[in-house]
Amino acid sequence: MSDIKMTTPGNAGWIGHSGPDSAAAMKFYRETIGWTIGDMPMQDGSSFPGIMIGEEPIGGFSPMPQENGAWLIYVTVEDVDACVERVKKSGGTIVSEPMDMPGVGRMSTIADPQGAQIAVITYESMRS
């Protein structure tokens, strides 16, 4: 068993799907990949459709409709704000400014100089 956890800096510890119809996407991935989709409780009392491997979530489906379907990989970093500054200095762009998601952590979506997007996240459990 690996010692790499979702909160290990550098790990691609979460995948997120967004699109126009999350119910249809969940059905597709259940049928084609065999994923189990379970409700993950959020801090505010709502729930989020999570992709489960056994009892552990590895990703989720956004309940907020988006025009086009896309997957986004979340890579753990020690400090989202410092990472965003390095992205700017290295010729990348900031797709979404750093924001806090209560109960989850601080995150931002960035793009490399070729336009490929990825998200960076610092989980709340990493903050001391």
Side-chain angles (χ1 to χ4, degrees):
M1 193 78 178
S2 174
D3 288 336
I4 297 175
K5 296 178 175 79
M6 171 181 214
T7 56
T8 301
N11 184 28
W14 188 262
I15 57 173
H17 181 278
S18 60
D21 186 344
S22 63
M26 288 185 278
K27 180 179 186 294
F28 174 83
Y29 288 103
R30 271 191 208 106
E31 292 175 357
T32 59
I33 295 180
W35 275 342
T36 298
I37 312 297
D39 285 334
M40 294 183 356
M42 300 299 287
Q43 192 173 28
D44 66 2
S46 65
S47 65
F48 185 81
I51 302 163
M52 310 298 288
I53 302 294
E55 298 293 316
E56 295 296 319
I58 63 161
F61 290 85
S62 174
M64 304 286 292
Q66 300 291 320
E67 186 175 335
N68 297 309
W71 282 100
L72 189 58
I73 299 167
Y74 289 76
V75 175
T76 304
V77 296
E78 290 183 21
D79 182 331
V80 166
D81 296 290
C83 180
V84 163
E85 289 306 311
R86 291 190 301 270
V87 167
K88 292 175 184 176
K89 289 177 183 173
S90 298
T93 56
I94 308 309
V95 177
S96 66
E97 291 293 330
M99 62 178 251
D100 290 314
M101 178 159 298
V104 178
R106 188 159 178 80
M107 61 189 75
S108 175
T109 303
I110 62 172
D112 68 24
Q114 297 180 65
Q117 294 184 15
I118 199 164
V120 292
I121 185 167
T122 302
Y123 294 97
E124 281 186 356
S125 63
M126 296 170 65
R127 298 181 191 167
S128 309

